[in-house]
Amino acid sequence: MKHLKTVSLSLCLMVAFAVSAQEVDKATVATQADAAKKAADALKSVDTGEKAWKFDGVVGLNGAATGLWNWAAGGKNNVNGIAFAKLHLLYHKDNIAWETNFDTDFGVTWVDQEEDAFQKSSDNIKLATKFGWEFHKSWYLTVLGGFQSQYALGRDYVTGYNPAISKWLAPSYTDISVGIDWKKSYNGADFSIYLSPIAGRITTAYVGDKWNEKYTEEAYFGNLEEGASPAYDYKAMLNNHTDFRSNLQTKYGTTVYYKDEDGNTQTKYRNFRAEFGLSFKGAIAYKYENLTLSTTLGLFTPYAGKGYKLEDGEDDYFKYSNKNRQFGNFDVDWDVAVSYQFLKVLNVTLSTSLKYYNGTLIEGKDGTSAERVQFKSVLGLGIGYSF
């Protein structure tokens, strides 16, 4: 009996110990599971933060060279180089979206000739950013800002006479608007459609006094041989608004034409034109392996303009004045860029840009100035990097 009691006591102790160990194991497992869950949540939070940002684009340097020797068909030796960057930054988390696009290029051509051997071939700055709050799936209340201009002085290269025709802030276009933006990502492509009934545009043709005097003098005196008499008095032109500054203000449509009390046509030269109107923008950014595609379309039309009525026999040059800055007459900006990277360092790019601005005058081959469609295309092979 004594032995039986001893065995029974031993069994009871073993059972109590097993139960206690099981409870300890359960507590340990629960603690470990809780710690694992917290770690997973932390990793998930970090992962979400990383995916909130998306940065892609292409940067590179394209070049081309032509060498001729006893070439019967004619031509000149030349070297052309263009540096470019097209960048797209997107932040999207919860119901907040912030998107920025930067598109820029600058190109120079060397031509084997004594006069103007180095010529600017390309010059462009475009920056656009928009911040949106998602009030419904894929729909955002958005504030947008944009700026367009160029880096360096632009010239019209004509043999013996190369007048300056553009510069930094002449022209420039600044856009500020509030509207509705629809965003969607599908199969690696980001789509965006933006409409703003509350849009402002500021067009500038700004030329400082020193620049104005310098380039007015250059235009009328720069090509004269020593001792020759000038054909024009540029000092008088500065006073009579036929100078470099007023030429650019007329060219880019910041001037205003109006009738005075006697019914005579008068011109008011201004550094800028501010307008209020309707804006539309569409964009697609797509990347598939080594192929990158981006395109943007921008439209703007002012709600109203003062206009200018032509009198009988009056020069129709005035028809290109602010009367065309009226609702329904759209400014157009359409850009397309395709890039393909191969062998890790080589890049083929094709970019096109189409513009049409009401009030911007371009001289044609017949010598007449009018509003015209502007188009530029660049096909290049060079060193580049897509990401």
Side-chain angles (χ1 to χ4, degrees), residues 32-66:
Q32 293 176 345
D34 184 60
K37 183 176 183 302
K38 290 181 178 180
D41 291 342
L43 289 174
K44 183 178 179 181
S45 176
V46 172
D47 184 61
T48 301
E50 292 176 348
K51 289 185 177 180
W53 290 94
K54 183 178 180 180
F55 182 46
D56 56 77
V58 55
V59 295
L61 177 65
N62 290 335
T66 300

Side-chain angles (χ1 to χ4, degrees), residues 57 110 167 172 175 237 292 321 338 386:
W110 173 81
K167 62 178 286 292
S172 75
D175 296 299
M237 292 181 174
T292 302
S321 69
V338 182
S386 299

Side-chain angles (χ1 to χ4, degrees), residues 2-75:
K2 183 177 181 180
H3 291 289
L4 182 60
K5 290 181 178 181
T6 302
V7 173
S8 299
L9 180 60
S10 299
L11 290 174
C12 289
L13 290 173
M14 292 175 63
V15 171
F17 180 77
V19 171
S20 176
Q22 186 176 11
E23 291 177 353
V24 171
D25 289 342
K26 287 182 178 180
T28 302
V29 170
T31 302
Q32 293 176 345
D34 184 60
K37 183 176 183 302
K38 290 181 178 180
D41 291 342
L43 289 174
K44 183 178 179 181
S45 176
V46 172
D47 184 61
T48 301
E50 292 176 348
K51 289 185 177 180
W53 290 94
K54 183 178 180 180
F55 182 46
D56 56 77
V58 55
V59 295
L61 177 65
N62 290 335
T66 300
L68 303 174
W69 179 260
N70 293 332
W71 192 252

Side-chain angles (χ1 to χ4, degrees), residues 236-304:
M237 292 181 174
L238 285 174
N239 296 327
N240 295 327
H241 300 289
T242 54
D243 54 359
F244 174 63
R245 175 164 47 204
S246 62
N247 287 341
L248 264 61
Q249 290 171 347
T250 301
K251 177 183 178 70
Y252 296 110
T254 62
T255 56
V256 174
Y257 302 95
Y258 65 97
K259 297 287 187 180
D260 61 16
E261 296 179 354
D262 298 326
N264 299 317
T265 299
Q266 301 294 334
T267 303
K268 180 186 289 187
Y269 293 95
R270 304 185 302 179
N271 288 321
F272 71 94
R273 180 183 69 238
E275 297 171 298
F276 179 67
L278 175 72
S279 177
F280 170 86
K281 294 183 182 295
I284 301 174
Y286 176 72
K287 181 176 176 60
Y288 176 74
E289 296 182 351
N290 295 327
L291 177 67
T292 302
L293 167 67
S294 63
T295 181
T296 59
L297 173 65
L299 304 174
F300 175 82
T301 182
Y303 284 128

